[in-house]
Amino acid sequence: LQNSGLDKLDCLLSNGAGITADPIAEFVIARILSHWKLFAVYEANQKHHKWEQAFGRDLAGSTLGIVGYGAIGQAVAQRAKALGMTVLASRRQVTPDMNDPHVDSFFPMSELNTMLSRCDAVALCAAESPDTYHLFNEQRFAAMPKGSYFCNVSRGSLVDEAALIQALESGHLAAASIDVAKVEPLPTDDPLWDAPNLAISPHCSAALENFSRYSWRLFYENMQRFLAGETLKNQRSTRYGN
């Protein structure tokens, strides 16, 4: 953008935050469900013509922690609450009057470990920044209860991948899923491929089915706001270069 000439045109800028929130949130819930409902076990038994009962666990009554409460985190919370989960959320700024019908308690980042200690599953949805580099490291995983579940749909830089592998190999984490990695495409010899109970997807938790429709809907809404002299949705700054 620095060499685009937009600064000379005095342009307003906005981004597409939230366009893919719904499908990514569905992906998070699906990953947790798949693990807790033992779908892989049933598929393996079917493949081997094996009739053997195995019982999963309930989502209802369990606790989900959401790290990063932007559009994706909010969409995850809405679905988790509808399934009867207790929802905890961590964000940079928390005020005493903060209220959301889909969140039972908010935690500032300074109390992240306290929140993690109460979670059966954790969804990482925070934005990438210098402050969030290796946000999840050995200490964070240790703060989570033994047997808990971790899902990252944020960015790979937020996770110390060696610490994640260690937490899985030790059995402290029952399982995890990542849709992102520090290096993408993930090298064929990366140890993440062989980490136990780790589900990997190649940065595709979003869906393209309604991407164009949602993009145009956001553009149309912002055009109406612009013509009315209102602040744009996802407006980056008052004017480019300011």
Side-chain angles (χ1 to χ4, degrees):
L1 292 176
Q2 291 180 346
N3 300 317
S4 66
L6 290 176
D7 54 330
K8 298 177 182 178
L9 296 175
D10 194 29
C11 289
L12 287 170
L13 293 180
S14 63
N15 63 31
I19 290 175
T20 58
D22 286 346
I24 294 177
E26 293 167 358
F27 183 93
V28 170
I29 298 299
R31 278 300 199 191
I32 298 172
L33 273 170
S34 179
H35 171 64
W36 281 358
K37 295 302 182 182
L38 306 181
F39 290 160
V41 173
Y42 303 149
E43 290 171 5
N45 286 345
Q46 180 178 346
K47 182 178 179 180
H48 294 94
H49 301 188
K50 188 177 181 181
W51 185 272
E52 182 177 286
Q53 290 183 324
F55 298 95
R57 60 173 295 176
D58 296 344
L59 261 74
S62 63
T63 299
L64 174 66
I66 301 173
V67 182
Y69 203 64
I72 295 173
Q74 293 170 36
V76 172
Q78 182 180 7
R79 287 155 178 77
K81 180 56 67 174
L83 290 169
M85 301 182 81
T86 296
V87 178
L88 311 179
S90 179
R91 51 180 300 170
R92 282 194 180 94
Q93 297 181 348
V94 175
T95 59
D97 61 343
M98 190 169 289
N99 183 46
D100 187 302
H102 305 117
V103 176
D104 294 278
S105 297
F106 281 103
F107 294 78
M109 293 301 292
S110 60
E111 298 179 16
L112 178 55
N113 282 3
T114 299
M115 186 191 85
L116 294 177
S117 69
R118 296 172 52 185
C119 298
D120 300 297
V122 172
L124 177 54
C125 311
E128 182 179 46
S129 74
D131 293 337
T132 58
Y133 180 78
H134 279 193
L135 178 64
F136 272 76
N137 50 26
E138 184 178 353
Q139 178 194 47
R140 301 295 189 202
F141 291 125
M144 295 171 61
K146 182 176 175 59
S148 53
Y149 184 87
F150 175 75
C151 177
N152 183 16
V153 289
S154 176
R155 289 292 184 270
S157 66
L158 276 71
V159 174
D160 180 338
E161 294 174 344
L164 173 61
I165 293 172
Q166 194 280 327
L168 289 166
E169 288 180 341
S170 70
H172 184 74
L173 289 182
S177 55
I178 57 172
D179 186 54
V180 288
K182 279 186 183 177
V183 179
E184 297 182 6
L186 189 64
T188 56
D189 60 348
D190 194 287
L192 283 170
W193 290 114
D194 298 314
N197 300 315
L198 176 63
I200 299 174
S201 53
H203 208 144
C204 55
S205 58
L208 300 180
E209 180 182 7
N210 293 305
F211 185 84
S212 294
R213 182 164 64 90
Y214 292 160
S215 298
W216 280 109
R217 185 172 65 186
L218 176 60
F219 175 82
Y220 179 73
E221 179 181 348
N222 270 343
M223 179 59 73
Q224 290 180 310
R225 289 171 176 255
F226 176 77
L227 293 175
E230 300 173 353
T231 300
L232 304 186
K233 191 172 183 179
N234 301 334
Q235 186 170 315
R236 299 298 295 172
S237 63
T238 303
R239 291 288 173 181
Y240 180 79
N242 290 354

